[in-house]
Amino acid sequence: MVNFDKVTFEYIRRDEEGNVESINKALDEIDLDVKKGDFIAILGANGSGKSTLARHINALLTPTEGTVYIEGLDSKDEDNHLKIRQKTGMVFQNPDNQIIASLVEEDVGFGPENIGVPTKEIWERVAFALDKVGMTAYREKSPNNLSGGQKQRVAIAGILAMKPECIVLDEPTAMLDPKGRREVIETITELNKNEDITIILITHYMTEVIGADKIFVMNKGNIKLSGTPREIFKEVDLLKEYQLDVPQVTEIAHRLRQKGMNLPECVLTVDELVEALATGDRG
Amino acid sequence: MSLILDKINYYYGKGTAFETAALKNISLTIPDGEFIGLIGHTGSGKSTLIQHMNGLIKADSGSIYFNGQDIYDKDFKMTELRRKVGLVFQYPEHQLFEATVIKDVLYGPTNMGLDKLKAEVLAYGSLRAVGISEDLLDASPFELSGGQKRRVAIAGILAMNPEILILDEPTAGLDPMGRFEILNLLKAIHEAKGITVILVSHSMEDVAEFAERLIVIDDGEIKYDDEPRKVFAHAEDLRKMGLEVPQCTELMGRLADRGLDVDRNCLTIDEAVESILNGNRRK
């Protein structure tokens, strides 16, 4: 679905005469292979290259060197951009910057209308998309009065109406309260499971990625670690070196193990640790 | 020295068909030197409340006293209040505008009418307090990393020498290490200068670890105003308000429910680890 082949991207700064002042390598020979239907999470410190990578997936940026293929389409070829952007939609951090219409249904229908989908089908797509994100009841409401989590779900519905194969979410929960965060994560998890939509989630909240199929950890433009959540979060010390963290329960279990308690190597959820402590032999 | 809010009411769209109460009968006393956490879901009234505290919004009824003076009195100097109650908005780095870091931080104290020397002393002092090293003073604020920019923005408010520092989600969008740095920085400033800090946050973990007093606002009303440990004992009620308890508090509650000999009110990873180890030893 998404293939990166030795992708390098440089931000080049020029002075007033156009001479190169500095070059910042945001992505450094990245190889990445995401399969259709995967739930991928990308972790990394601020400035590690996560957002730059995300913007390559729907051709908002194209590589300085190397190639990005989206379902076989080379993102360097501008003729492919429209097709790529229909296949991969993006959700950003601030919900207020992504809502444009005065009614929820118009906002969701904006994308398909723009690409000339017949009116009847637009309404079918809008109904379908709002249903999938659980926002049908707000169809004829103003987006302005929605909570942050609801606005992000409307933004996701707007992408769903484009019938995408992949949704890239760049810190979609950074500005949300706990309930809003849960709503967004539940919504994308269901879309991944029930609609087979590929999800690429960038976040700073470690607890949001424990359900991912695979996690990539970025640092200074490189992918330093990749693996299942359990493989990644057992590297408690290494993650801290990359300015990251692990879920609180994972850290508690890790420290209890260091004190000699007999616990599984990597605990990801409250349920797991409760079971291990309440029933297991605790050493 | 204190800030007292007495029966504050505030309505959106007052006198129109859309009139809604944003704050209902809020009474609060903020004495010197506390570290206060303020939580509530999006739209609960947090931002409206903090804007009352430095006079950006005027209450429809009720009084606010700053150091014994009624701030709505016509002789009251509102500029004094705005200087002494520093408000750091969400994403404060978007408000950086000067050509260099030092000029940006100097803007506030210079505007207060201080002479150059006094303004510089304040500006240098606050940049040091937020951990911005001297080699960055003449850099453009736009060349800094996200975390550094945010610290410069906070320094700009600190340079006004406030007695109360209010921050609206100062860690939103920062990586785990960046969050930790900002929170520790606030704690250090609070302890060193005795400044009252009011931290508005969507992270239960952050307020649990750093706040000495926690105020919960829901639907424009104060629901809890107590020590964090006592507030987080009401997990069910908090969830109904769209909030949460820290993951470690949830874990400990569940373990206690299963009959383990642990303290269900742990707020931090350290406390949880300690309590589980002690319970295990007693077994």
Side-chain angles (χ1 to χ4, degrees):
Chain A
M1 164 88 232
V2 176
N3 284 293
F4 280 52
D5 182 24
K6 289 202 172 46
V7 171
T8 294
F9 184 80
E10 291 166 342
Y11 287 103
I12 299 172
R13 255 201 18 204
R14 294 174 193 277
D15 62 15
E16 283 152 15
E17 278 88 47
N19 302 313
V20 174
E21 261 190 346
S22 66
I23 297 176
N24 173 16
K25 209 177 255 191
L27 298 180
D28 189 4
E29 296 199 14
I30 295 270
D31 287 318
L32 184 73
D33 181 23
V34 178
K35 300 221 161 30
K36 171 92 184 128
D38 274 355
F39 189 137
I40 298 294
I42 302 175
L43 302 177
N46 292 113
S48 61
K50 304 183 302 294
S51 295
T52 305
L53 185 144
R55 281 163 175 70
H56 276 78
I57 298 174
N58 75 341
L60 284 176
L61 295 175
T62 53
T64 312
E65 281 169 57
T67 319
V68 173
Y69 298 100
I70 307 298
E71 291 234 288
L73 298 169
D74 183 342
S75 74
K76 269 212 196 85
D77 184 350
E78 280 192 32
D79 293 340
N80 288 335
H81 283 187
L82 194 58
K83 274 187 220 156
I84 288 175
R85 289 183 190 144
Q86 285 174 30
K87 287 179 194 295
T88 61
M90 277 198 79
V91 176
F92 296 94
Q93 200 178 91
N94 188 343
D96 291 318
N97 294 349
Q98 302 173 69
I99 305 263
I100 42 146
S102 54
L103 289 180
V104 165
E105 61 176 9
E106 287 172 5
D107 199 84
V108 175
F110 180 79
E113 190 178 3
N114 249 341
I115 54 167
V117 173
T119 309
K120 183 167 169 286
E121 195 189 330
I122 293 177
W123 292 121
E124 285 166 10
R125 288 190 186 195
V126 168
F128 170 82
L130 285 173
D131 178 51
K132 287 297 156 199
V133 302
M135 288 294 289
T136 305
Y138 296 87
R139 186 170 173 155
E140 290 173 29
K141 296 262 163 45
S142 159
N144 294 323
N145 299 327
L146 302 179
S147 72
Q150 290 171 331
K151 282 179 190 165
Q152 285 297 50
R153 279 148 68 200
V154 170
I156 294 171
I159 290 168
L160 276 182
M162 299 292 280
K163 296 196 178 289
E165 293 176 38
C166 173
I167 302 180
V168 182
L169 303 103
D170 192 355
E171 294 190 47
T173 59
M175 302 179 75
L176 305 184
D177 58 32
K179 181 158 171 267
R181 291 207 292 268
R182 204 164 50 231
E183 285 170 6
V184 169
I185 298 303
E186 279 171 10
T187 301
I188 58 177
T189 305
E190 276 166 28
L191 289 175
N192 176 252
K193 286 212 174 80
N194 303 336
E195 307 299 322
D196 202 31
I197 290 174
T198 309
I199 298 287
I200 299 177
L201 171 66
I202 296 174
T203 183
H204 286 314
Y205 287 101
M206 304 298 137
T207 48
E208 293 176 355
V209 304
I210 53 169
D213 295 313
K214 199 170 184 187
I215 296 176
F216 293 96
V217 177
M218 291 191 70
N219 186 48
K220 294 184 180 147
N222 290 294
I223 291 176
K224 292 285 185 181
L225 295 172
S226 66
T228 63
R230 223 170 281 281
E231 287 162 356
I232 297 294
F233 284 131
K234 71 177 187 211
E235 307 288 348
V236 178
D237 299 323
L238 195 54
L239 287 171
K240 291 198 174 173
E241 210 173 287
Y242 297 140
Q243 309 202 18
L244 300 174
D245 210 343
V246 298
Q248 284 198 327
V249 278
T250 310
E251 169 129 23
I252 291 169
H254 176 75
R255 291 222 214 144
L256 292 172
R257 266 172 63 88
Q258 284 178 337
K259 295 279 184 186
M261 283 179 80
N262 183 17
L263 288 170
E265 188 183 10
C266 181
V267 170
L268 293 180
T269 65
V270 172
D271 285 346
E272 285 174 25
L273 190 52
V274 168
E275 280 314 307
L277 286 169
T279 59
D281 164 23
R282 284 176 278 140
Chain B
M1 295 288 191
S2 63
L3 186 66
I4 297 171
L5 284 74
D6 187 30
K7 301 197 189 73
I8 294 295
N9 283 285
Y10 180 74
Y11 303 90
Y12 286 125
K14 179 130 176 101
T16 72
F18 301 103
E19 181 175 305
T20 36
L23 294 179
K24 301 173 191 165
N25 226 16
I26 300 265
S27 292
L28 268 182
T29 300
I30 309 211
D32 263 356
E34 285 193 336
F35 196 126
I36 301 172
L38 176 61
I39 58 175
H41 67 81
T42 325
S44 58
K46 302 183 303 289
S47 297
T48 310
L49 177 63
I50 60 175
Q51 289 179 67
H52 276 80
M53 290 179 180
N54 80 342
L56 283 179
I57 298 181
K58 188 170 187 292
D60 286 316
S61 70
S63 311
I64 298 179
Y65 301 94
F66 182 63
N67 295 338
Q69 284 181 290
D70 183 345
I71 72 162
Y72 296 140
D73 197 282
K74 66 179 190 320
D75 296 330
F76 184 80
K77 278 193 191 140
M78 211 50 121
T79 48
E80 254 327 83
L81 179 72
R82 301 228 166 97
R83 185 175 77 68
K84 288 187 172 160
V85 181
L87 187 51
V88 179
F89 286 102
Q90 253 183 47
Y91 295 85
E93 62 275 22
H94 294 171
Q95 297 168 39
L96 298 173
F97 64 100
E98 275 285 8
T100 66
V101 165
I102 185 67
K103 276 190 190 162
D104 208 286
V105 177
L106 272 170
Y107 180 79
T110 311
N111 252 2
M112 274 158 46
L114 291 182
D115 65 55
K116 194 164 175 284
L117 188 66
K118 276 188 187 142
E120 280 182 349
V121 168
L122 282 170
Y124 284 113
S126 48
L127 279 165
R128 203 175 309 124
V130 300
I132 294 291
S133 60
E134 284 183 12
D135 54 314
L136 290 176
L137 295 185
D138 291 320
S140 160
F142 304 101
E143 290 171 8
L144 307 180
S145 75
Q148 286 172 330
K149 275 189 221 168
R150 198 161 294 183
R151 282 186 277 151
V152 169
I154 294 174
I157 302 288
L158 276 182
M160 316 264 279
N161 221 1
E163 291 169 15
I164 299 177
L165 182 63
I166 306 175
L167 305 102
D168 195 355
E169 289 194 63
T171 60
L174 295 184
D175 60 51
M177 190 68 79
R179 295 178 84 86
F180 193 65
E181 279 173 16
I182 292 276
L183 292 167
N184 274 314
L185 169 79
L186 295 176
K187 189 177 169 194
I189 292 167
H190 166 71
E191 283 169 359
K193 299 191 168 192
I195 294 180
T196 301
V197 175
I198 302 180
L199 172 68
V200 178
S201 179
H202 282 321
S203 166
M204 305 299 119
E205 284 78 12
D206 291 353
V207 291
E209 187 160 353
F210 288 89
E212 300 154 357
R213 171 180 169 193
L214 187 57
I215 298 171
V216 182
I217 181 162
D218 183 49
D219 201 15
E221 289 178 84
I222 292 178
K223 290 291 161 79
Y224 294 102
D225 180 358
D226 212 332
E227 291 166 40
R229 206 173 298 280
K230 291 186 180 151
V231 174
F232 283 126
H234 302 272
E236 269 322 297
D237 208 20
L238 290 170
R239 286 197 189 104
K240 273 188 210 132
M241 296 178 207
L243 300 171
E244 263 299 336
V245 298
Q247 197 182 35
C248 61
T249 313
E250 188 194 345
L251 170 76
M252 300 307 276
R254 298 264 302 275
L255 289 174
D257 288 344
R258 291 285 288 263
L260 270 72
D261 180 15
V262 294
D263 175 9
R264 63 162 62 241
N265 293 321
C266 292
L267 291 183
T268 63
I269 290 172
D270 288 343
E271 288 177 12
V273 169
E274 192 61 25
S275 172
I276 293 171
L277 287 173
N278 284 338
N280 207 31
R281 272 183 221 119
R282 281 195 293 269
K283 199 177 70 165

